[in-house]
Amino acid sequence: MLDQKIIEQLEALAGKENVLTSKADMVAYSYDATADMPNQTPDVVVLPTSSEMVQQIVNLARENKISIYPRGAGTNLSGGTIPLKKGIVLSFQKMNQILEIDAANLTARVQPGVVINALNSAVAEHGLIYPPDPGTVATATMGGSAAENSGGLRGLKYGVTKNYIMGMEVVLANGDKVRFGGKTVKNVTAYDFSNLFVGSEGTLGIITELTAKLIPAPKYRRTMMGIFKTIADAGNAVAGIIAAQVIPATLEIMDQMTIKTVEDFAKIGLPTDAKALLLIEVDGNSEDVVVNEAEAVMKVVTENNGDLQAANTDQERDQLWTARRNALPALASLNNTVVLEDATVPRSHITDMLVACEEIGKKYDLTLGTFGHAGDGNLHPTILCDKYDEDEISRVHKAVDEIFKAALNYGGTLSGEHGIGIAKMKYLEDELGKSGTNLMRNIKLSLDPENVLNPGKMVPMQEV
Amino acid sequence: MATTSAGDTTGKTYHDELAIVREELDKCMKCGNCMAVCPVYGAEKVETSVTRSKIAVAQAVLDGKLELDDPQVYQMMFNCLVCKSCMTACPTKVNFDRIMLAFRAALVRKNGLPWLKKMIFSTLKHPKLFDAGMRIGAAMQPLAFKGEDGGASITPRSPFAKFGAGIGMDGERKMPSLNVKTLRERVPEVVRAAAPKMKVAFFTGDSLNYIYPDAGMDVIEVLTANSIDVHIPKEQNCCGVPVLVHGDVETVRALAKKNIDAFEKTGCDYLITACGSCGGAWQHDYTEILANDPVYATKAAHWATRTYDISTFLTKVITLREPKGKLDKVVTYHDSCHLKKSMKVSAEPREIIKSIPGITLKEMKAPDTCCGSGGSYVLSHYDTSSAIGRKKAEDVTATGADTVSVGCPACMMQLFDNANRYGKNEDVVHFVSLLAESYRREKSA
């Protein structure tokens, strides 16, 4: 428990209405969207309304050695916002103003609590979009998604969050406020700070403002689905599409287990004996180019023995998307706990990785379905289990260990888009080696020597 | 996993036993999709306002980590409009309405209804508004208690009357009566059409009966104009939803049974409602609360399939007599939460509005976001309700429409208030009144 004096000081800094302390309030900030994580209640939740207020809170916390956990919407999937060592949760949901939309420079300046979709709605009237589209666009905040470097379904063609953050204002652990980057397309002044803080998961500084890059909204699109009798055919189709020099906006894959579950759940007429399904969408601002790309994709699907469906209307497009949209809900309906991983491999190993996930599921007698972003090699092996069954949970943990091992063996990475947080910290050295984790600790300690910012996440500290 | 938490083998439902909702709680992944649609969270911007946190807190209560009657816990559980928006956005289909009702019912079992009412209304900020609500309640009270003998077994028909008791607004208190004749006083039990082709039973609900009797008259007029006899049983009473959402399950069970009895007597095959909450009660709530009742479970299930919103009945069951009277109006349509999310009715009212000559339907931004009414929520959480209502009023005004139409009387009250306060004083009408008006114009032309 925090000293009542600290609470009073926080109330003086942030206003009584922005400081929450009741037991029920603490429960409400004890979790995020990650399954199978330790839940921990904070001592206090503060909702700052300005970056100056954030500076004052950070100074108070550091002087009293109290941990701080910045939090957007709390929708991350790596345990990144859980207040593991108690202390202060800094919730940014009241700093949710879009400060400027600069259509001439294709940029927007926002406070961290702006929801991604809110930004997209606001820039839509200028014919622009902010492309990163994690599954949580309707809820996740710009600050949170920058801190987690969120990906999404359009990653292959449009990239991820880090490709769209041009500048920031960050409050450091020492209380300093720094601004860097901005509206210029080119900027090589000093270190590339944006890329240091994007994906830093709240461990290096607290993001209090962002300058985001916007692009013209694509005017045309074509959507297709290919259904395959073998995983190899689907994998070859993915490779074939890229070889045909088409970069689809979306290139999604679902394995047999996911197809079956979706069909049971949504009854949309998917063939349950199919081994894999690809959902492909091409888009762009030239109708000719988009049509040509769609034709090339359809040719590849057919050449690889795929059963092809193409959408000619928005309604048909919606039908094709139904399968993908239902993947997670359908799988989740099978049990009370959803362990959703994001192991990622080079695109050429998609088939190997899908087979490996299936075998690992069988080996540990688990219900495991895999879907994901085949175009960028980012898969979501999803295990459905009963949190009240200790034996099953221990098998889940072993299976997850093996999934990461397999991904690394194929030259892949632990996390394509969910981040390290609590969930994957123990695997970090497997990918980076001792020198890599040392580098992380050195960076962390030089910016936050007292380890007050989001402790227990991402950076393994114990071996200092 | 099975999702049948409506009842267990002991014959109890989640209304009677809190632990039964555990399975419902376990379905929640904490993904937070509810944040995108919860109107309360949208206005307040704290995690405690949103559904997933209420589920987390409910889990903490079941795990013994929080007390059921911790003030913060019950305040969270009552800071909900019961608009069911979260349920439509939920990927794992958590029936949050069950969780919320189970908790409210458990609170009533633990500390009693009078305690609960005192607690909910202890932080009232707008006594004048509350007083107005209570005046309506008082006006309803003589009717509500009519036909009951003695005091102990009283089953009030009005949610307001029930709520009045215990906060100084009980039957002892003299209140000026509202100087209106109720809908059911205005009409006989059966209103005949000129050349009837069929008959239906009309469940008026309290709001149409007491507050908007003219809209209720329009329902009857439209039905008879379509050659349908309308039965309006005098013995019907409140649907019970306003009482149910405050956890008083036993009263709702009694109300539901009485209503079922009253409608069985009509011999009609169709039960018509013109209020999303009432229709939702007949379609869903009665079957759930009576799931294990040896006599009424089957009856409730029967009526659930025979209940139609007036718009669905007119457009899907019969062939609507084409409206020919011209109304020169620009109309926007607000989707009532219970009409759209509980009864799944949203295309039908629009179809009716668009069929009326002279009317232009202009959609507002997000027509299915809540208006902020939520029954007594507007009384108990005035500030949040008002913030939500203001946004709705601004969306209405942005369409440039002169009229906002809706299919639920509770929304009508809220829209009326907010159109005055924040909008351009647009007319607020039940969509059925537009149709009735068109028929009348045709006749007088």
Side-chain angles (χ1 to χ4, degrees):
Chain A
M1 281 294 288
L2 283 185
D3 198 316
Q4 185 57 31
K5 270 190 196 148
I6 302 281
I7 305 287
E8 282 162 18
Q9 281 172 289
L10 287 169
E11 286 174 347
L13 288 177
K16 230 177 154 120
E17 70 282 9
N18 292 319
V19 178
L20 313 177
T21 54
S22 86
K23 273 168 83 178
D25 281 323
M26 296 309 103
V27 169
Y29 289 86
S30 67
Y31 56 79
D32 55 30
T34 322
D36 192 29
M37 283 291 113
N39 285 357
Q40 178 62 273
T41 52
D43 292 310
V44 57
V45 176
V46 187
L47 298 123
T49 54
S50 72
S51 45
E52 290 70 30
M53 200 185 277
V54 174
Q55 285 181 282
Q56 290 167 338
I57 295 164
V58 166
N59 285 332
L60 178 71
R62 189 190 60 252
E63 284 156 15
N64 292 281
K65 297 203 185 321
I66 302 164
S67 302
I68 300 188
Y69 311 87
R71 179 183 173 103
T75 52
N76 77 86
L77 291 167
S78 55
T81 42
I82 296 169
L84 210 51
K85 309 207 164 156
K86 298 198 80 87
I88 304 169
V89 165
L90 263 193
S91 170
F92 280 92
Q93 282 161 328
K94 287 192 177 171
M95 284 177 70
N96 64 347
Q97 298 303 305
I98 296 173
L99 302 169
E100 181 193 31
I101 295 169
D102 184 344
N105 282 307
L106 298 179
T107 59
R109 208 155 50 81
V110 299
Q111 287 190 316
V114 169
V115 171
I116 302 172
N117 257 2
L119 176 61
N120 265 319
S121 306
V123 302
E125 48 191 272
H126 302 278
L128 300 172
I129 59 165
Y130 170 75
D133 64 338
T136 49
V137 278
T139 51
T141 63
M142 289 295 291
S145 61
E148 296 289 327
N149 192 8
S150 309
L153 271 60
R154 293 195 287 221
L156 172 62
K157 181 170 181 177
Y158 292 103
V160 297
T161 305
K162 72 176 176 186
N163 305 112
Y164 293 90
I165 301 301
M166 300 171 73
M168 279 182 183
E169 178 187 87
V170 174
V171 171
L172 301 175
N174 66 8
D176 283 355
K177 188 169 75 178
V178 273
R179 294 181 73 95
F180 46 80
K183 293 179 183 179
T184 62
V185 173
K186 292 179 174 175
N187 181 335
V188 292
T189 303
Y191 293 127
D192 186 355
F193 291 126
S194 289
N195 266 327
L196 178 65
F197 287 97
V198 170
S200 65
E201 301 188 10
T203 63
L204 299 181
I206 298 171
I207 301 166
T208 49
E209 193 186 300
L210 303 111
T211 301
K213 174 176 149 183
L214 309 171
I215 65 165
K219 290 191 183 72
Y220 305 96
R221 67 183 171 210
R222 286 284 187 283
T223 310
M224 293 136 287
M225 190 162 83
I227 295 167
F228 298 86
K229 290 192 182 66
T230 70
I231 296 184
D233 280 344
N236 290 336
V238 171
I241 290 166
I242 307 297
Q245 300 191 344
V246 176
I247 306 292
T250 301
L251 180 42
E252 294 287 301
I253 195 163
M254 280 165 55
D255 73 352
Q256 184 173 24
M257 167 68 191
T258 310
I259 296 168
K260 272 186 180 165
T261 310
V262 167
E263 182 53 29
D264 284 349
F265 183 79
K267 306 270 183 291
I268 49 178
L270 297 175
T272 49
D273 58 341
K275 284 280 191 288
L277 178 158
L278 291 178
L279 177 73
I280 310 138
E281 192 160 284
V282 292
D283 69 4
N285 278 322
S286 151
E287 193 169 11
D288 288 351
V289 172
V290 172
V291 168
N292 287 342
E293 286 188 345
E295 279 166 6
V297 167
M298 291 191 272
K299 189 162 167 262
V300 171
V301 168
T302 315
E303 279 171 1
N304 286 285
N305 314 311
D307 186 7
L308 182 78
Q309 290 180 29
N312 291 312
T313 62
D314 278 353
Q315 200 186 348
E316 286 175 15
R317 173 184 184 260
D318 202 52
Q319 280 165 5
L320 294 187
W321 271 91
T322 308
R324 176 59 178 87
R325 255 199 309 271
N326 278 297
L328 185 57
L331 289 169
S333 71
L334 297 177
N335 213 327
N336 61 29
T337 303
V338 183
V339 175
L340 180 64
E341 294 302 347
D342 67 324
T344 301
V345 294
R347 194 185 302 124
S348 57
H349 283 294
I350 276 287
T351 309
D352 301 326
M353 191 62 195
L354 277 172
V355 172
C357 290
E358 199 181 317
E359 281 170 0
I360 292 165
K362 277 188 193 144
K363 179 175 170 188
Y364 291 101
D365 190 22
L366 294 167
T367 307
L368 185 154
T370 303
F371 61 95
H373 322 306
D376 48 38
N378 181 188
L379 291 177
H380 292 306
T382 305
I383 306 174
L384 300 316
C385 51
D386 179 0
K387 63 182 173 186
Y388 301 115
D389 182 342
E390 277 179 37
D391 177 64
E392 188 176 42
I393 293 297
S394 80
R395 281 182 280 126
V396 170
H397 293 160
K398 284 178 195 155
V400 170
D401 289 350
E402 285 201 25
I403 288 170
F404 287 129
K405 209 171 155 191
L408 294 180
N409 278 344
Y410 291 122
T413 183
L414 298 171
S415 179
E417 57 185 4
H418 296 170
I420 299 301
I422 305 172
K424 286 168 218 148
M425 201 164 69
K426 68 170 178 172
Y427 305 110
L428 211 53
E429 202 171 295
D430 298 339
E431 181 167 338
L432 294 178
K434 274 206 181 338
S435 58
T437 51
N438 264 334
L439 173 62
M440 288 188 65
R441 271 191 293 277
N442 287 336
I443 293 172
K444 167 75 177 172
L445 288 172
S446 69
L447 284 172
D448 179 19
E450 323 236 18
N451 194 19
V452 291
L453 297 179
N454 207 10
K457 318 291 169 58
M458 197 185 201
V459 191
M461 296 299 285
Q462 62 275 20
E463 293 171 46
V464 180
Chain B
M1 272 191 2
T3 51
T4 51
S5 57
D8 70 355
T9 49
T10 62
K12 288 178 173 172
T13 67
Y14 60 85
H15 307 90
D16 311 296
E17 176 70 57
L18 189 57
I20 296 176
V21 291
R22 166 83 72 178
E23 200 182 328
E24 211 57 55
L25 298 173
D26 280 343
K27 281 156 70 179
C28 174
M29 301 193 288
K30 307 288 183 299
C31 69
N33 281 10
C34 41
M35 284 187 282
V37 294
C38 174
V40 176
Y41 173 76
E44 296 178 350
K45 283 285 175 191
V46 284
E47 183 83 23
T48 28
S49 312
V50 82
T51 312
R52 75 167 171 178
S53 81
K54 291 168 188 167
I55 292 174
V57 161
Q59 280 164 332
V61 170
L62 276 181
D63 291 342
K65 291 176 186 160
L66 280 173
E67 287 298 320
L68 179 64
D69 54 358
D70 177 321
Q72 267 83 31
V73 171
Y74 64 72
Q75 275 164 21
M76 272 176 80
M77 288 299 167
F78 277 89
N79 190 17
C80 168
L81 288 150
V82 203
C83 70
K84 309 193 185 199
S85 300
C86 52
M87 291 163 58
T88 61
C90 180
T92 51
K93 299 190 174 134
V94 177
N95 290 298
F96 183 65
D97 55 348
R98 291 182 180 171
I99 294 169
M100 193 263 313
L101 290 179
F103 266 77
R104 293 180 179 187
L107 266 174
V108 170
R109 278 199 304 281
K110 186 168 181 187
N111 290 357
L113 195 60
W115 170 86
L116 186 62
K117 283 182 292 190
K118 216 170 114 194
M119 288 302 143
I120 301 168
F121 291 105
S122 61
T123 53
L124 265 182
K125 287 189 180 158
H126 292 264
K128 269 189 185 163
L129 181 76
F130 189 67
D131 197 45
M134 285 306 131
R135 284 157 77 105
I136 297 166
M140 293 179 192
Q141 224 153 325
L143 288 158
F145 292 97
K146 199 164 72 180
E148 299 283 353
D149 48 0
S153 66
I154 273 175
T155 308
R157 296 177 192 178
S158 154
F160 298 106
K162 186 73 182 169
F163 251 80
I167 45 170
M169 289 288 171
D170 48 38
E172 305 291 316
R173 185 155 175 156
K174 284 249 186 286
M175 295 293 292
S177 62
L178 292 184
N179 195 17
V180 287
K181 219 171 167 190
T182 70
L183 173 60
R184 295 198 293 267
E185 285 170 337
R186 290 191 200 183
V187 291
E189 272 204 287
V190 182
V191 181
R192 305 276 178 199
K197 290 179 201 152
M198 63 192 294
K199 60 175 188 174
V200 300
F202 176 29
F203 182 78
T204 68
D206 272 355
S207 304
L208 287 179
N209 189 47
Y210 296 106
I211 300 164
Y212 291 112
D214 290 338
M217 292 299 288
D218 289 338
V219 171
I220 297 167
E221 194 177 327
V222 163
L223 286 167
T224 50
N226 279 276
S227 307
I228 294 164
D229 282 349
V230 187
H231 292 239
I232 309 122
K234 292 269 187 234
E235 285 170 23
Q236 61 178 300
N237 45 45
C238 172
C239 69
V241 166
V243 188
L244 182 63
V245 297
H246 293 101
D248 184 5
V249 177
E250 287 316 318
T251 300
V252 190
R253 284 192 173 121
L255 288 170
K257 289 177 186 176
K258 284 187 160 200
N259 283 332
I260 290 171
D261 288 344
F263 280 79
E264 300 251 296
K265 284 183 202 159
T266 64
C268 292
D269 287 332
Y270 295 95
L271 186 152
I272 306 299
T273 58
C275 162
S277 304
C278 295
W282 280 95
Q283 286 186 345
H284 307 293
D285 297 316
Y286 288 1
T287 54
E288 298 223 347
I289 56 168
L290 298 171
N292 299 308
D293 188 292
V295 178
Y296 284 90
T298 330
K299 292 182 177 187
H302 168 75
W303 284 103
T305 64
R306 306 311 305 168
T307 299
Y308 291 83
D309 180 66
I310 178 74
S311 65
T312 312
F313 181 79
L314 292 174
T315 57
K316 301 253 169 82
V317 180
I318 64 163
T319 308
L320 178 67
R321 196 189 103 192
E322 191 193 335
K324 293 189 180 136
K326 198 172 170 224
L327 302 185
D328 198 15
K329 286 179 192 297
V330 181
V331 176
T332 190
Y333 177 73
H334 161 69
D335 281 294
S336 132
C337 292
H338 289 181
L339 195 54
K340 180 169 183 189
K341 289 152 198 165
S342 182
M343 296 186 79
K344 314 284 180 212
V345 173
S346 68
E348 300 93 317
R350 290 177 166 86
E351 193 182 326
I352 290 172
I353 294 164
K354 281 194 272 190
S355 74
I356 300 168
I359 287 187
T360 312
L361 178 65
K362 282 188 88 172
E363 293 287 354
M364 69 182 91
K365 199 171 115 191
D368 63 352
T369 57
C370 184
C371 66
S373 163
S376 65
Y377 188 90
V378 62
L379 303 177
S380 60
H381 296 81
Y382 186 78
D383 290 346
T384 302
S385 167
S386 191
I388 298 166
R390 178 179 197 145
K391 205 159 164 274
K392 177 57 75 173
E394 287 166 356
D395 287 350
V396 167
T397 299
T399 63
D402 50 55
T403 303
V404 51
S405 67
V406 62
C408 217
C411 304
M412 286 170 71
M413 282 189 255
Q414 171 83 345
L415 291 169
F416 179 74
D417 183 40
N418 287 304
N420 269 295
R421 214 184 291 265
Y422 309 115
K424 291 221 166 117
N425 213 355
E426 291 88 353
D427 287 336
V428 180
V429 296
H430 196 291
F431 62 80
V432 86
S433 298
L434 293 170
L435 184 59
E437 179 63 22
S438 171
Y439 284 159
R440 285 195 286 271
R441 293 233 173 143
E442 182 185 340
K443 226 159 132 187
S444 62

